[in-house]
């Protein structure tokens, strides 16, 4: 019974992650890749829907006592997600996808006894999976660590202005830029703290 529970838990957790992402709950979405992948389809199915179907299939097979078939589904998810993790590492990380990847890795260990993979390939594949997941997670953390502008859209801006809120000449220059027909919509503003006065104003702002 305990062995079955260990096998079911990662599958149930993965299904919950995919279900939340599929219905746009956004609880695990903390990176720009979430919105991109949420709108992507493979063979007409959303990525989260494919993940949900795979997790539920493995879950149903495990409950039915078809452990080898369940492990085969887990192995397919595990190998397939290596490619998806590589894609995220190269392009955009997705925190919700990384949460699902963690459940897949968990399931890989929970179903290790029945995985239909060559013994010599399991450890290298697991190392590659973990490395790619770590790189994608690091990219997501770096993305979240970027400063947030108080004004402007970073995706379209051509100019970045870092300024002290306690600087009168800075405010005059910013007002001139924002009033310009050519620059007004192409500027992002980042306030910085040079002293106690700036920190006080930033505290009120945020």
């Amino acid at each position: 019974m305990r062995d079955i529970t260990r096998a079911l838990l990662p599958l149930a957790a993965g299904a919950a992650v995919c279900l939340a992402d599929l219905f746009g709950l956004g609880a695990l979405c903390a990176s720009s890749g979430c919105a991109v992948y949420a709108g992507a389809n493979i063979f007409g199915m959303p990525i989260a829907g494919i993940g949900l179907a795979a997790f539920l299939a493995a879950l149903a097979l495990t409950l039915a006592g078809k452990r080898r078939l369940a492990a085969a589904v887990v192995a397919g998810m595990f190998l397939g997600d290596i490619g998806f993790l590589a894609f995220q590492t190269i392009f955009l990380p997705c925190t919700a996808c990384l949460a699902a990847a963690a459940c897949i890795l968990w399931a890989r260990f929970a179903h290790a006894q029945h995985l239909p993979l060559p013994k010599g390939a399991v450890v290298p594949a697991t190392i590659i999976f973990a490395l790619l997941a770590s790189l994608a997670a690091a990219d997501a953390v770096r993305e979240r660590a970027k400063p947030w502008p108080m004004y402007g859209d970073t995706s379209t801006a051509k100019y970045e202005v870092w300024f002290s809120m306690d600087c009168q000449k800075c405010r005059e220059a910013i007002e001139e830029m924002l009033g310009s027909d050519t620059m007004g919509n192409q500027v992002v503003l980042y306030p910085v703290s040079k002293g106690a006065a700036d920190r006080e104003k930033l505290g009120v702002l945020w």
Side-chain angles (χ1 to χ4, degrees):
M1 183 63 182
R2 188 174 298 177
D3 182 53
I4 292 292
T5 302
R6 282 198 299 266
L8 291 173
L9 282 176
L11 301 175
V17 168
C18 293
L19 191 64
D21 190 53
L22 190 61
F23 285 95
L25 299 183
L28 297 173
C29 292
S31 62
S32 57
C34 291
V36 174
Y37 300 129
N41 292 326
I42 298 177
F43 302 118
M45 284 188 65
I47 293 174
I50 295 173
L52 177 62
F55 277 115
L56 290 178
L59 187 70
L61 288 167
T62 302
L63 286 170
K66 308 292 186 180
R67 297 295 299 276
R68 292 190 180 278
L69 287 176
V73 175
V74 170
M77 295 167 65
F78 176 69
L79 295 177
D81 209 36
I82 289 177
F84 189 34
L85 286 169
F87 187 88
Q88 291 181 64
T89 301
I90 296 170
F91 297 102
L92 290 172
C94 165
T95 50
C97 305
L98 289 172
C103 294
I104 291 173
L105 186 60
W106 182 11
R108 168 256 178 270
F109 284 104
H111 292 261
Q113 184 178 351
H114 303 287
L115 284 179
L117 297 174
K119 290 183 179 180
V122 173
V123 173
T126 302
I127 292 173
I128 292 171
F129 188 104
L131 177 62
L132 290 172
S134 298
L135 291 173
D139 284 343
V141 170
R142 279 196 294 270
E143 182 180 296
R144 293 295 296 174
K146 289 180 181 178
W148 293 359
M150 66 175 292
Y151 173 87
D153 185 351
T154 57
S155 64
T156 58
K158 293 183 178 179
Y159 310 99
E160 292 184 354
V161 179
W162 302 76
F163 69 99
S164 164
M165 296 183 69
D166 200 41
C167 170
Q168 178 62 34
K169 290 186 178 180
C170 298
R171 289 200 297 271
E172 292 173 358
I174 289 170
E175 288 174 3
E176 184 177 344
M177 282 188 288
L178 295 181
S180 168
D181 293 335
T182 56
M183 292 182 65
N185 296 325
Q186 300 178 1
V187 176
V188 287
L189 304 178
Y190 295 98
V192 298
S193 173
K194 295 178 64 177
D198 278 329
R199 286 193 293 273
E200 182 178 347
K201 292 177 180 177
L202 285 171
V204 173
L205 177 65
W206 300 116

